[in-house]
């Protein structure tokens, strides 16, 4: 866990990483009782980093899928184009069992014009996918994640975690 404890100090694999969804979440998943968020962090040279997050009725969050499914941090170049990303996204969501309810993208690179003139968001939209801009504050994002993680291992003031990460999401695991 490359960055574990450096940015998100209350992340602990013992409490936050699971092989499969616990019973409550699995029941909700099977009944389609979750909102699916697709988060995209585009890059100009590397593969886009993407995650799929299920938000359940009790407002708990589980990272249930990601792209790439290999070690992103060793990736230096990618030739994948938007139509290929769209197909891959649709394939991932077919495997999950539903299309994303909400898609969000890094507002900086997502809205930056590329050499061809369009932004990444515009290219996705031309291919039938609409993205909202993610909030543009790293600090508030870290605070939100810390709040979701809780402090389940704190002996004095434990706070239940509201975040799970499936163990096959290796890049998300690597980055916390």
């Amino acid at each position: 866990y490359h960055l574990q404890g450096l940015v998100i100090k209350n992340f602990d694999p013992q409490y936050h990483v699971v092989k499969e969804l616990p019973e409550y979440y699995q029941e909700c998943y099977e009944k389609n009782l979750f909102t699916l968020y697709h988060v995209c962090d585009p890059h100009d040279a590397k593969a886009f980093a993407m995650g799929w997050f299920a938000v359940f009725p009790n407002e708990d969050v589980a990272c249930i899928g990601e792209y790439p499914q290999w070690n992103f941090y060793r990736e230096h170049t990618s030739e994948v184009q938007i139509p290929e990303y769209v197909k891959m996204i649709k394939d991932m969501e077919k495997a999950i069992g539903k299309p994303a309810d909400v898609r969000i993208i890094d507002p900086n690179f997502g809205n930056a014009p590329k050499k061809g003139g369009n932004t990444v968001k515009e290219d996705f939209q031309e291919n039938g996918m609409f993205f909202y801009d993610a909030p543009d504050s790293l600090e508030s994002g870290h605070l939100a994640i810390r709040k979701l993680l809780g402090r389940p291992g704190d002996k004095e003031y434990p706070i239940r975690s509201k975040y799970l990460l499936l163990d096959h999401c290796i890049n998300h695991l690597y980055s916390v």
Side-chain angles (χ1 to χ4, degrees):
Y1 308 4
H2 172 65
L3 299 174
Q4 184 179 339
L6 297 177
V7 177
I8 310 297
K9 295 184 186 325
N10 56 330
F11 176 79
D12 185 336
Q14 176 183 344
Y15 300 107
H16 300 112
V17 179
V18 294
K19 189 169 194 65
E20 55 191 36
L21 292 173
E23 185 177 355
Y24 165 77
Y25 307 102
Q26 188 61 41
E27 286 177 17
C28 290
Y29 186 89
E30 289 170 4
K31 295 176 182 175
N32 197 24
L33 296 175
F34 65 97
T35 302
L36 183 62
Y37 285 80
H38 170 216
V39 179
C40 180
D41 184 11
H43 299 92
D44 55 356
K46 294 175 75 162
F48 291 7
M50 294 189 255
W52 283 263
F53 299 85
V55 180
F56 296 97
N58 66 354
E59 298 183 354
D60 286 5
V61 177
C63 179
I64 61 172
E66 70 176 9
Y67 175 88
Q69 295 170 332
W70 61 86
N71 188 327
F72 170 81
Y73 296 94
R74 295 199 175 143
E75 178 93 11
H76 298 292
T77 61
S78 175
E79 299 297 322
V80 178
Q81 300 298 310
I82 296 294
E84 296 166 281
Y85 279 120
V86 169
K87 181 186 180 326
M88 184 279 308
I89 290 165
K90 288 180 179 179
D91 289 348
M92 172 66 83
E93 293 173 0
K94 184 177 181 184
I96 290 171
K98 70 186 271 185
D101 298 296
V102 179
R103 298 185 195 285
I104 59 177
I105 195 166
D106 168 50
N108 299 301
F109 194 83
N111 291 307
K114 299 185 325 266
K115 290 179 185 172
N118 278 358
T119 66
V120 172
K121 272 178 57 176
E122 290 167 339
D123 283 348
F124 269 121
Q125 195 159 1
E126 286 178 2
N127 284 271
M129 287 195 171
F130 176 80
F131 283 82
Y132 293 99
D133 287 339
D136 192 16
S137 169
L138 192 59
E139 183 179 328
S140 65
H142 288 170
L143 286 172
I145 292 169
R146 285 185 195 112
K147 184 176 177 182
L148 281 172
L149 289 172
R151 293 193 318 258
D154 189 311
K155 303 232 186 298
E156 197 170 340
Y157 300 105
I159 298 173
R160 182 182 78 82
S161 174
K162 296 183 66 57
Y163 181 81
L164 294 173
L165 175 65
L166 291 180
D167 67 357
H168 69 267
C169 297
I170 60 170
N171 293 301
H172 286 79
L173 184 57
Y174 190 78
S175 67
V176 293

